[in-house]
Short mmCIF file of all heavy atoms in Angstrom, two decimals:
data_model
loop_
_atom_site.label_atom_id
_atom_site.label_comp_id
_atom_site.label_asym_id
_atom_site.label_seq_id
_atom_site.Cartn_x
_atom_site.Cartn_y
_atom_site.Cartn_z
N GLY A 118 -5.50 14.03 23.99
CA GLY A 118 -5.80 13.02 22.94
C GLY A 118 -6.00 11.70 23.49
O GLY A 118 -5.92 10.64 22.73
N ILE A 119 -6.39 11.51 24.77
CA ILE A 119 -6.58 10.22 25.41
C ILE A 119 -8.04 10.04 25.71
O ILE A 119 -8.69 10.97 26.30
CB ILE A 119 -5.74 10.05 26.66
CG1 ILE A 119 -4.28 10.23 26.43
CG2 ILE A 119 -6.03 8.75 27.42
CD1 ILE A 119 -3.40 10.24 27.65
N PRO A 120 -8.67 8.95 25.36
CA PRO A 120 -10.07 8.74 25.62
C PRO A 120 -10.36 8.81 27.13
O PRO A 120 -9.56 8.24 27.93
CB PRO A 120 -10.38 7.34 25.07
CG PRO A 120 -9.35 7.12 24.00
CD PRO A 120 -8.08 7.82 24.50
N GLU A 121 -11.45 9.41 27.49
CA GLU A 121 -11.86 9.53 28.94
C GLU A 121 -12.09 8.17 29.51
O GLU A 121 -11.72 7.88 30.71
CB GLU A 121 -13.08 10.38 29.01
CG GLU A 121 -13.57 10.57 30.48
CD GLU A 121 -12.60 11.41 31.29
OE1 GLU A 121 -11.81 12.18 30.68
OE2 GLU A 121 -12.62 11.27 32.54
N SER A 122 -12.59 7.20 28.69
CA SER A 122 -12.84 5.89 29.24
C SER A 122 -11.54 5.17 29.63
O SER A 122 -11.52 4.40 30.57
CB SER A 122 -13.60 5.04 28.23
OG SER A 122 -12.86 4.90 26.94
N PHE A 123 -10.43 5.46 28.87
CA PHE A 123 -9.12 4.87 29.20
C PHE A 123 -8.66 5.35 30.55
O PHE A 123 -8.13 4.59 31.35
CB PHE A 123 -8.10 5.27 28.13
CG PHE A 123 -8.23 4.53 26.79
CD1 PHE A 123 -9.39 3.90 26.47
CD2 PHE A 123 -7.20 4.42 25.97
CE1 PHE A 123 -9.53 3.21 25.27
CE2 PHE A 123 -7.26 3.76 24.77
CZ PHE A 123 -8.48 3.13 24.39
N ILE A 124 -8.84 6.70 30.82
CA ILE A 124 -8.40 7.22 32.12
C ILE A 124 -9.19 6.64 33.22
O ILE A 124 -8.66 6.25 34.28
CB ILE A 124 -8.59 8.76 32.04
CG1 ILE A 124 -7.68 9.33 30.94
CG2 ILE A 124 -8.18 9.38 33.44
CD1 ILE A 124 -7.79 10.87 30.76
N ARG A 125 -10.54 6.55 33.09
CA ARG A 125 -11.35 5.94 34.10
C ARG A 125 -10.96 4.52 34.39
O ARG A 125 -10.92 4.06 35.53
CB ARG A 125 -12.84 6.01 33.71
CG ARG A 125 -13.40 7.44 33.81
CD ARG A 125 -14.93 7.36 33.75
NE ARG A 125 -15.46 6.64 32.60
CZ ARG A 125 -15.79 7.21 31.44
NH1 ARG A 125 -15.67 8.54 31.27
NH2 ARG A 125 -16.28 6.48 30.45
N LYS A 126 -10.77 3.79 33.36
CA LYS A 126 -10.33 2.35 33.50
C LYS A 126 -9.03 2.22 34.28
O LYS A 126 -8.90 1.36 35.13
CB LYS A 126 -10.21 1.70 32.15
CG LYS A 126 -9.90 0.23 32.21
CD LYS A 126 -9.75 -0.37 30.79
CE LYS A 126 -9.36 -1.85 30.88
NZ LYS A 126 -9.21 -2.46 29.50
N LYS A 127 -8.08 3.08 33.92
CA LYS A 127 -6.71 3.04 34.65
C LYS A 127 -6.96 3.41 36.11
O LYS A 127 -6.32 2.74 36.99
CB LYS A 127 -5.84 4.06 33.98
CG LYS A 127 -4.38 3.97 34.51
CD LYS A 127 -3.74 2.58 34.20
CE LYS A 127 -2.29 2.53 34.69
NZ LYS A 127 -1.67 1.23 34.42
N MET A 128 -7.79 4.39 36.41
CA MET A 128 -7.99 4.84 37.81
C MET A 128 -8.69 3.67 38.56
O MET A 128 -8.34 3.40 39.72
CB MET A 128 -8.83 6.10 37.87
CG MET A 128 -8.08 7.25 37.34
SD MET A 128 -9.14 8.78 37.36
CE MET A 128 -9.37 9.02 39.08
N GLU A 129 -9.57 2.97 37.96
CA GLU A 129 -10.26 1.87 38.60
C GLU A 129 -9.30 0.68 38.85
O GLU A 129 -9.36 0.06 39.93
CB GLU A 129 -11.41 1.37 37.68
CG GLU A 129 -12.58 2.31 37.65
CD GLU A 129 -13.64 1.95 36.66
OE1 GLU A 129 -13.40 0.87 36.01
OE2 GLU A 129 -14.71 2.62 36.49
N GLU A 130 -8.36 0.45 37.92
CA GLU A 130 -7.34 -0.59 38.12
C GLU A 130 -6.46 -0.26 39.27
O GLU A 130 -6.11 -1.13 40.11
CB GLU A 130 -6.49 -0.78 36.85
CG GLU A 130 -7.31 -1.39 35.68
CD GLU A 130 -6.50 -1.44 34.42
OE1 GLU A 130 -5.36 -0.90 34.39
OE2 GLU A 130 -6.97 -2.06 33.39
N LEU A 131 -6.05 1.00 39.36
CA LEU A 131 -5.19 1.44 40.52
C LEU A 131 -5.97 1.31 41.84
O LEU A 131 -5.33 0.91 42.85
CB LEU A 131 -4.71 2.86 40.26
CG LEU A 131 -3.80 3.07 39.09
CD1 LEU A 131 -3.47 4.54 38.93
CD2 LEU A 131 -2.44 2.30 39.28
N LYS A 132 -7.21 1.66 41.81
CA LYS A 132 -8.05 1.55 43.00
C LYS A 132 -8.19 0.15 43.47
O LYS A 132 -8.03 -0.21 44.67
CB LYS A 132 -9.43 2.19 42.78
CG LYS A 132 -10.32 2.15 43.97
CD LYS A 132 -11.69 2.75 43.66
CE LYS A 132 -12.58 2.71 44.89
NZ LYS A 132 -13.94 3.24 44.58
#
Side-chain angles (χ1 to χ4, degrees):
I119 301 175
E121 181 67 24
S122 60
F123 285 21
I124 298 175
R125 289 197 302 269
K126 181 179 179 181
K127 187 63 177 180
M128 293 178 64
E129 290 173 358
E130 290 176 353
L131 293 174
K132 181 181 179 181

